[in-house]
Structure formats: structure tokens, C-alpha cells
Amino acid sequence: MTATPIYEIRDLVKLYRRGSQEVVAVDHVDFDLMPGERLGIVGESGSGKSTLVRMMAALSRPTSGDIAFEGTSIVGRTDDELTGLRRGVQMVFQDPRSSLDPRMTVGDIITEPLRSRVWKGITRTDRAARLVEVMTQVGLDPQDASRYPHQFSGGQRQRIAIARALAPKPRVLIADEAVSALDVSVRAQVLNLIGDLVAEYGLTLVFVSHDLTVVRHVCDAVLVLRSGRVVEHGPTEQVYVDPQNPYTRQLLASVPRLRRDVNP
Ligand SMILES: Nc1ncnc2c1ncn2[C@@H]1O[C@H](COP(=O)(O)OP(=O)(O)OP(=O)(O)O)[C@@H](O)[C@H]1O
Ligand SMILES: [Mg+2]
């Protein structure tokens, strides 16, 4: 029996117009993502990582090509038709300062996804119970739900963002540079938290990062983007130990701690 991919991405293109110029941010990308897979997306700044995952979360529309989520195309759908995706996929972004509304309490921020139209059936009591549950899961004190984001440290704010993403019990978690803005000491803790949660709930993870060391730690497959194109895609250890593409080799060679592991 072969499992059905949770995402099927076919010939995906995203063009941006900048004045009279066209930027090909995502250039004919093809790949499948299997349920439970932890996929790292790496590549230098501007290689199209965020553009790709934003389209996967239906936050932006492809110029051409197709994205199927759980067997159904999400391209060109209305909001009403995207209920499955909105319930099943949640994102965590790099900077919790801009992704968390400073005027909302932490409790309101975390339960916001559950107040959206796609979750009509959820009562206040359900939401309050879920709030306590997810705050505990990410290592926050549920008593702090009435406080505001600025009263927390950077690492705690990212825990708030993770709690909000988990609240609707998603099947896919997309983290776009979710630990990149954190201090090194805090980064490891938040990274371990993401790893633990993904394992515990059997989540499918899309983990965008320019940090190859971090990706090796959490992902079982890696996709390397360069100028919007996939130049390499394979199991993590294979890509790190025996990279096939010269650009991947160059990327890996620029990480001091990995250099000794990479074949010349
Ligand atoms: N809204 C936009 N309008 C115009 N061009 C854009 C827009 N968003 C991204 N781009 C361009 O598309 C390309 C890919 O950008 P993207 O943000 O996806 O890269 P990235 O790999 O996420 O980079 P980073 O590591 O810096 O986050 C870049 O050339 C960028 O300038
Ligand atoms: Mg980005």
C-alpha cells in the first residue's frame, strides 16, 4: 500500500512584477510531501522559500501550476472552499513581534484561529479548555493568558506563536525561519519544542531555514532552492553526506560545523 501525499506540487511558478521587471520567485517547482514527513526547505536569501510556503498555505496565489492538499487542488479556490486547508495547515513566522498583535492578550491571540469561520462549532468553554492545554504543551503558564505579548521574552513570544498554530490541531505545521530571530541559547529550546510537538502529534512539518545545521537536526528530508528552482531534494542524511548538486555542496561547505561531514 502506498500512502497518499499530503501535498502534491506541480510545475509551480510565482512571478512578481517589480516596476517593468519580472522576478521569477518560484520557478517550475515539483515535489510531493508525505504525511508525517519533516521537510526542510533551504536556500540563500531571496531563493523563494517564503514565496513557496506562502502559496502552500494559500496566503498567496501561484502564477501557474498546481498545489493539491490532501488530494484536492487549492489553486483558485474561494475561502469557503479552502476550509480543509485552513483547518489543517498552520504557520509560524520568524518574528513574533510582527506576527502577534500587541493589543491582544495572549489568550485571545492563541484562540484566534478557533474563532474563525472555519470552526463554527467550537464553544467558549471548548476554547478556554484548549487554551490551557496548548499553553501547557508549549511550556507557558496558562495563568499568563491575560497578559500581552510585550510582557514576554523573545523565546516565550515564539512559544505563544507555536501555541496559536497548535490550537486548531493542524495536520501540517509550516515554520518559516521560526527560530532564526532567537538567541542561540533559546533557539535550541524552541527547536526542541517544535521537534517534540511534531513527534507527539505526528505532524507533517515544513521547516524553512537558511541554517543548515538546524535543518539537519529536525528534518528527515531536505529540498534545496536556488533562484526559485529545486536543485536538490532527498533524505537529509543523503543530501548532507553526499550532495549531488554543486550548489548544495557550496551551501554545506559554508557551514563550518558540517564541513568535516561532507564528502569532497
Ligand atoms: N511581495 C513581493 N513583491 C515583489 N517581489 C517579491 C515579493 N516577495 C518576494 N519577492 C521576491 O521574490 C524572490 C524570493 O523571495 P522570498 O522572500 O520568497 O525568498 P526567501 O528565500 O524567503 O528569502 P529570505 O531567506 O530572505 O527570507 C526575491 O527576489 C524577492 O525579492
Ligand atoms: Mg523568507
Side-chain angles (χ1 to χ4, degrees), residues 16-18 23-26 43-52 94 176-177 208 210 225:
Y16 286 117
R17 206 166 270 291
R18 218 187 271 140
V23 178
V24 189
V26 168
E44 63 197 80
S45 183
S47 58
K49 305 181 297 293
S50 296
T51 304
L52 172 60
Q94 172 168 353
D176 188 354
E177 302 280 8
V208 172
H210 64 275
L225 280 182

Short mmCIF file of all heavy atoms in Angstrom, two decimals, residues 16-18 23-26 43-52 94 176-177 208 210 225, ligand 1:
data_model
loop_
_atom_site.label_atom_id
_atom_site.label_comp_id
_atom_site.label_asym_id
_atom_site.label_seq_id
_atom_site.Cartn_x
_atom_site.Cartn_y
_atom_site.Cartn_z
N TYR A 16 6.74 37.85 -9.71
CA TYR A 16 6.42 39.16 -9.14
C TYR A 16 6.83 40.21 -10.15
O TYR A 16 7.85 40.06 -10.83
CB TYR A 16 7.20 39.40 -7.84
CG TYR A 16 6.73 38.63 -6.65
CD1 TYR A 16 7.56 37.69 -6.04
CD2 TYR A 16 5.46 38.84 -6.11
CE1 TYR A 16 7.14 36.98 -4.92
CE2 TYR A 16 5.03 38.14 -5.00
CZ TYR A 16 5.87 37.21 -4.41
OH TYR A 16 5.47 36.52 -3.30
N ARG A 17 6.07 41.25 -10.22
CA ARG A 17 6.41 42.36 -11.10
C ARG A 17 7.01 43.46 -10.24
O ARG A 17 6.43 43.85 -9.23
CB ARG A 17 5.13 42.84 -11.76
CG ARG A 17 5.34 43.50 -13.08
CD ARG A 17 4.03 43.64 -13.84
NE ARG A 17 3.74 42.48 -14.70
CZ ARG A 17 4.42 42.18 -15.79
NH1 ARG A 17 5.45 42.93 -16.16
NH2 ARG A 17 4.10 41.13 -16.51
N ARG A 18 8.20 43.87 -10.61
CA ARG A 18 8.81 44.99 -9.89
C ARG A 18 9.09 46.07 -10.91
O ARG A 18 10.04 45.97 -11.68
CB ARG A 18 10.10 44.51 -9.22
CG ARG A 18 10.32 45.13 -7.85
CD ARG A 18 11.67 44.77 -7.31
NE ARG A 18 11.68 43.52 -6.55
CZ ARG A 18 12.68 42.63 -6.63
NH1 ARG A 18 13.69 42.80 -7.44
NH2 ARG A 18 12.62 41.54 -5.89
N VAL A 23 10.23 39.23 -11.63
CA VAL A 23 11.08 38.38 -10.80
C VAL A 23 10.43 37.01 -10.74
O VAL A 23 9.26 36.89 -10.37
CB VAL A 23 11.18 38.96 -9.36
CG1 VAL A 23 12.02 38.04 -8.48
CG2 VAL A 23 11.76 40.36 -9.38
N VAL A 24 11.19 35.98 -11.12
CA VAL A 24 10.67 34.62 -11.00
C VAL A 24 11.05 34.12 -9.61
O VAL A 24 12.15 33.65 -9.37
CB VAL A 24 11.27 33.69 -12.08
CG1 VAL A 24 10.55 32.34 -12.06
CG2 VAL A 24 11.16 34.33 -13.45
N ALA A 25 10.12 34.24 -8.66
CA ALA A 25 10.42 33.88 -7.27
C ALA A 25 10.39 32.38 -7.07
O ALA A 25 11.18 31.82 -6.31
CB ALA A 25 9.44 34.57 -6.33
N VAL A 26 9.46 31.71 -7.74
CA VAL A 26 9.37 30.24 -7.70
C VAL A 26 9.27 29.77 -9.14
O VAL A 26 8.43 30.24 -9.90
CB VAL A 26 8.17 29.77 -6.85
CG1 VAL A 26 7.91 28.28 -7.03
CG2 VAL A 26 8.41 30.09 -5.37
N GLY A 43 18.06 27.39 1.33
CA GLY A 43 18.50 28.17 0.17
C GLY A 43 18.80 29.57 0.67
O GLY A 43 18.27 29.99 1.70
N GLU A 44 19.61 30.28 -0.09
CA GLU A 44 20.03 31.60 0.38
C GLU A 44 18.87 32.59 0.34
O GLU A 44 17.80 32.29 -0.21
CB GLU A 44 21.21 32.10 -0.44
CG GLU A 44 20.90 32.30 -1.91
CD GLU A 44 22.17 32.40 -2.75
OE1 GLU A 44 22.77 31.37 -3.07
OE2 GLU A 44 22.54 33.53 -3.08
N SER A 45 19.09 33.76 0.92
CA SER A 45 18.06 34.79 0.95
C SER A 45 17.61 35.12 -0.48
O SER A 45 18.44 35.28 -1.38
CB SER A 45 18.63 36.05 1.63
OG SER A 45 17.63 37.01 1.72
N GLY A 46 16.30 35.18 -0.68
CA GLY A 46 15.77 35.50 -2.00
C GLY A 46 15.59 34.30 -2.91
O GLY A 46 15.20 34.43 -4.07
N SER A 47 15.85 33.08 -2.40
CA SER A 47 15.76 31.90 -3.26
C SER A 47 14.32 31.42 -3.44
O SER A 47 14.07 30.49 -4.21
CB SER A 47 16.63 30.76 -2.69
OG SER A 47 16.24 30.44 -1.38
N GLY A 48 13.37 32.03 -2.73
CA GLY A 48 11.96 31.70 -2.96
C GLY A 48 11.31 30.85 -1.88
O GLY A 48 10.17 30.41 -2.04
N LYS A 49 11.99 30.65 -0.77
CA LYS A 49 11.47 29.78 0.29
C LYS A 49 10.13 30.27 0.84
O LYS A 49 9.16 29.51 0.90
CB LYS A 49 12.50 29.69 1.45
CG LYS A 49 13.88 29.24 1.02
CD LYS A 49 14.86 29.15 2.19
CE LYS A 49 15.15 30.45 2.90
NZ LYS A 49 15.90 31.47 2.12
N SER A 50 10.08 31.55 1.22
CA SER A 50 8.84 32.08 1.80
C SER A 50 7.73 32.12 0.75
O SER A 50 6.57 31.82 1.05
CB SER A 50 9.07 33.49 2.36
OG SER A 50 9.97 33.43 3.43
N THR A 51 8.09 32.49 -0.46
CA THR A 51 7.09 32.54 -1.53
C THR A 51 6.46 31.17 -1.72
O THR A 51 5.23 31.05 -1.85
CB THR A 51 7.76 33.02 -2.84
OG1 THR A 51 8.39 34.28 -2.61
CG2 THR A 51 6.75 33.15 -3.96
N LEU A 52 7.28 30.13 -1.71
CA LEU A 52 6.77 28.77 -1.88
C LEU A 52 5.83 28.36 -0.75
O LEU A 52 4.71 27.89 -0.99
CB LEU A 52 7.96 27.80 -1.97
CG LEU A 52 7.65 26.31 -1.98
CD1 LEU A 52 6.75 25.93 -3.16
CD2 LEU A 52 8.94 25.48 -2.02
N GLN A 94 8.86 34.12 11.39
CA GLN A 94 10.14 34.42 12.04
C GLN A 94 10.00 35.35 13.24
O GLN A 94 10.56 35.10 14.30
CB GLN A 94 11.09 35.06 11.01
CG GLN A 94 12.36 35.58 11.66
CD GLN A 94 13.42 35.94 10.65
OE1 GLN A 94 13.27 35.69 9.46
NE2 GLN A 94 14.50 36.52 11.11
N ASP A 176 8.40 29.17 9.07
CA ASP A 176 9.26 29.94 8.17
C ASP A 176 10.27 30.71 9.01
O ASP A 176 9.96 31.75 9.57
CB ASP A 176 8.41 30.88 7.31
CG ASP A 176 9.24 31.57 6.21
OD1 ASP A 176 10.48 31.40 6.20
OD2 ASP A 176 8.64 32.27 5.38
N GLU A 177 11.48 30.20 9.08
CA GLU A 177 12.56 30.81 9.88
C GLU A 177 12.09 31.04 11.32
O GLU A 177 12.39 32.07 11.93
CB GLU A 177 13.02 32.14 9.27
CG GLU A 177 13.52 32.05 7.84
CD GLU A 177 14.96 31.55 7.71
OE1 GLU A 177 15.55 31.11 8.72
OE2 GLU A 177 15.48 31.58 6.58
N VAL A 208 11.32 25.90 7.07
CA VAL A 208 12.14 26.77 6.23
C VAL A 208 13.26 27.37 7.06
O VAL A 208 13.00 27.93 8.13
CB VAL A 208 11.28 27.93 5.67
CG1 VAL A 208 12.16 28.94 4.94
CG2 VAL A 208 10.18 27.40 4.77
N HIS A 210 17.56 29.11 6.69
CA HIS A 210 18.83 29.26 5.98
C HIS A 210 19.93 28.56 6.78
O HIS A 210 21.06 28.51 6.36
CB HIS A 210 19.15 30.74 5.79
CG HIS A 210 19.36 31.44 7.08
ND1 HIS A 210 18.32 31.96 7.81
CD2 HIS A 210 20.47 31.63 7.80
CE1 HIS A 210 18.80 32.47 8.93
NE2 HIS A 210 20.11 32.28 8.96
N LEU A 225 16.56 25.11 -2.59
CA LEU A 225 16.10 26.05 -3.62
C LEU A 225 17.23 26.98 -4.00
O LEU A 225 17.99 27.45 -3.15
CB LEU A 225 14.95 26.91 -3.08
CG LEU A 225 13.53 26.36 -3.04
CD1 LEU A 225 12.60 27.45 -2.51
CD2 LEU A 225 13.08 25.89 -4.41
N1 LIG B 1 5.73 40.73 -2.49
C1 LIG B 1 6.77 40.71 -3.33
N2 LIG B 1 6.85 41.56 -4.37
C2 LIG B 1 7.89 41.54 -5.22
N3 LIG B 1 8.91 40.69 -5.13
C3 LIG B 1 8.90 39.80 -4.10
C4 LIG B 1 7.82 39.77 -3.15
N4 LIG B 1 8.08 38.79 -2.25
C5 LIG B 1 9.25 38.24 -2.61
N5 LIG B 1 9.74 38.84 -3.73
C6 LIG B 1 10.97 38.49 -4.44
O1 LIG B 1 10.90 37.10 -4.73
C7 LIG B 1 12.16 36.47 -4.52
C8 LIG B 1 12.01 35.36 -3.47
O2 LIG B 1 11.73 35.96 -2.21
P1 LIG B 1 11.42 35.11 -0.91
O3 LIG B 1 11.01 36.07 0.13
O4 LIG B 1 10.49 34.03 -1.24
O5 LIG B 1 12.84 34.49 -0.58
P2 LIG B 1 13.34 33.72 0.72
O6 LIG B 1 14.08 32.54 0.24
O7 LIG B 1 12.22 33.52 1.66
O8 LIG B 1 14.39 34.77 1.33
P3 LIG B 1 14.78 35.04 2.87
O9 LIG B 1 15.75 33.94 3.25
O10 LIG B 1 15.48 36.37 2.82
O11 LIG B 1 13.54 35.04 3.70
C9 LIG B 1 13.11 37.58 -4.13
O12 LIG B 1 13.75 38.03 -5.30
C10 LIG B 1 12.20 38.65 -3.58
O13 LIG B 1 12.78 39.91 -3.72
#
